[in-house]
Amino acid sequence: MSRIYLLLAWLCALSATATPKIFHPGELWPDNRGQHIQAHGGGILKIGPTFYWFGEDRGQTNGRGLRCVSCYSSTNLAQWTFRNQVFKTRNPENFGRGWVLERPKVFYNPKTKKFVMYMHIDGPNPGEIGGYKLARVGVATCDTVDGDYQYLKSFRPLGHESRDIGQFVDDDGTAYLIFEDRPFGFRIAKLSEDYLIVEKEICLIAEHMEGGAIVHYEGLYYVLGSALTGWNPNPNKYATAKSLAGPWSEFKDLAPPEKNTYGAQSTMLLKISGTKTNSVVFMGDIWKPQSQWDSRYLWLPLEIGGGKLRLPEPKKWSLDIVTGEAKNEQ
Ligand code: GAL
């Protein structure tokens, strides 16, 4: 009896891992509750085998004036469990009505054992007086990955304007923030030991870009970003360098420019290190400015290597999280 039970349990576990978990780029993406995932402009943090996805929660039922960040977890990147609205705040420093919280990114600091959230904090939306003029990062921390993050402060990193932010943790564990400093370009800066300060500039990439993301792949750094067209899509571009400090190559198109990145804007490049291969996933947002809660996600495996990066045409696909292999699905 117990042998049969064990066999059944084993077969169930096997089918759960063997069934391909299919990604549906651009479609509604329901969480474990059947609700469309609210993690826009987001980022991923991996702890052990679990991925945590943090992003802007633009849910329609969020209270007026509240700005929210939600966290979801997954072990296969396709099926997500809602964990918590980890950050929820009403105008913490009197930024003005209609203030902005965008593109939250969470780092785990192994020394302090704190989870540290960076976010773009700004004044009211464009069109309103003072819109997007503060250009700061906000910082919030928590002792657990999906607990209630406590707001600490906001500042301009190294004294510079900062709007869209991206996160990058290098192979040696060093944490970096990529931020858009208009009109100069992307700045890549190292965080302090406790991650609470943006400590040292590593590079200024003098291109007018935002939605910054970086991946390190086979000895090369790839930086990716979009043009400055607000919520409207544009041809995202990438450059490469042997060191984060540069020199960076010229920027090239990620996809045929007339496709406008298939309607998406970059938010992160996620490397999956598998037993057979390393895949890199493009994570982008398809914004719907009039109904932000319905904004979609475009996640696709990139063709990468030898200094080239290509975003394929969106199709259903699946990822074997163990081997790292991605393939198209019908
Ligand atoms: C985009 C940016 C978004 C948001 C939007 C507002 O360019 O990437 O995060 O700030 O502009 O118009």
Side-chain angles (χ1 to χ4, degrees):
M1 180 65 187
S2 67
R3 272 200 192 161
I4 289 174
Y5 175 78
L6 276 176
L7 184 68
L8 277 175
W10 180 74
L11 281 174
C12 280
L14 195 69
S15 77
T17 47
T19 316
K21 307 297 180 302
I22 299 183
F23 293 83
H24 302 262
E27 292 184 18
L28 282 171
W29 198 341
D31 66 9
N32 61 311
R33 307 166 301 176
Q35 297 176 18
H36 182 48
I37 292 173
Q38 292 297 320
H40 312 285
I44 302 271
L45 175 68
K46 190 172 183 223
I47 306 285
T50 308
F51 298 91
Y52 294 91
W53 182 5
F54 297 85
E56 299 160 26
D57 181 336
R58 304 266 191 174
Q60 278 178 289
T61 55
N62 291 337
R64 247 179 99 83
L66 272 183
R67 301 289 175 271
C68 306
V69 176
S70 275
C71 170
Y72 299 79
S73 66
S74 173
T75 49
N76 59 28
L77 289 175
Q79 294 161 308
W80 292 90
T81 300
F82 172 76
R83 301 292 287 240
N84 187 17
Q85 219 168 30
V86 289
F87 190 64
K88 206 172 356 186
T89 187
R90 216 178 280 276
N91 213 353
E93 289 183 73
N94 204 17
F95 296 125
R97 270 188 60 206
W99 68 286
V100 166
L101 186 172
E102 289 175 345
R103 297 186 176 262
K105 305 282 179 293
V106 174
F107 298 87
Y108 174 63
N109 187 307
K111 291 200 178 113
T112 61
K113 304 207 171 357
K114 295 259 185 212
F115 294 86
V116 182
M117 181 188 296
Y118 273 77
M119 50 206 141
H120 170 202
I121 293 285
D122 225 315
N125 283 310
E128 295 175 41
I129 294 161
Y132 281 97
K133 294 273 165 43
L134 281 177
R136 293 191 200 171
V137 288
V139 180
T141 60
C142 193
D143 291 333
T144 54
V145 64
D146 58 356
D148 297 330
Y149 283 66
Q150 299 302 311
Y151 186 82
L152 288 187
K153 58 182 173 179
S154 70
F155 57 92
R156 281 190 168 182
L158 298 161
H160 299 299
E161 291 190 15
S162 172
R163 292 186 176 82
D164 281 8
I165 56 166
Q167 74 185 128
F168 175 62
V169 179
D170 210 343
D171 305 335
D172 65 0
T174 312
Y176 298 89
L177 192 74
I178 312 143
F179 60 98
E180 191 252 327
D181 174 16
R182 220 163 297 172
F184 300 101
F186 269 160
R187 291 190 196 265
I188 304 171
K190 188 170 141 326
L191 301 185
S192 59
E193 221 178 313
D194 60 7
Y195 291 4
L196 300 182
I197 294 170
V198 178
E199 191 176 73
K200 185 169 178 249
E201 180 163 315
I202 304 299
C203 189
L204 164 66
I205 304 180
E207 290 286 335
H208 302 303
M209 297 181 82
E210 59 185 6
I214 295 179
V215 71
H216 191 213
Y217 185 87
E218 291 179 353
L220 265 188
Y221 292 91
Y222 293 73
V223 67
L224 171 70
S226 79
L228 308 175
T229 56
W231 302 117
N232 297 322
N234 56 62
N236 290 193
K237 291 179 190 288
Y238 73 95
T240 58
K242 287 199 179 118
S243 147
L244 282 180
W248 290 90
S249 71
E250 57 171 354
F251 277 82
K252 295 176 201 131
D253 285 316
L254 184 68
E258 66 279 8
K259 302 282 186 187
N260 275 333
T261 323
Y262 306 106
Q265 183 188 22
S266 53
T267 186
M268 191 163 192
L269 291 170
L270 181 64
K271 185 158 79 175
I272 311 297
S273 304
T275 52
K276 287 202 185 146
T277 189
N278 295 329
S279 289
V280 177
V281 178
F282 168 90
M283 291 169 53
D285 295 281
I286 300 176
W287 299 109
K288 295 201 182 180
Q290 303 310 321
S291 49
Q292 283 285 15
W293 58 90
D294 190 33
S295 294
R296 305 295 171 87
Y297 308 98
L298 187 84
W299 287 21
L300 286 172
L302 286 158
E303 288 164 26
I304 183 169
K308 295 214 169 76
L309 203 57
R310 191 181 153 270
L311 184 69
E313 199 148 329
K315 287 197 176 97
K316 286 182 202 162
W317 63 285
S318 65
L319 176 69
D320 185 322
I321 206 73
V322 176
T323 64
E325 293 166 306
K327 66 172 197 312
N328 285 335
E329 294 285 341
Q330 291 309 311

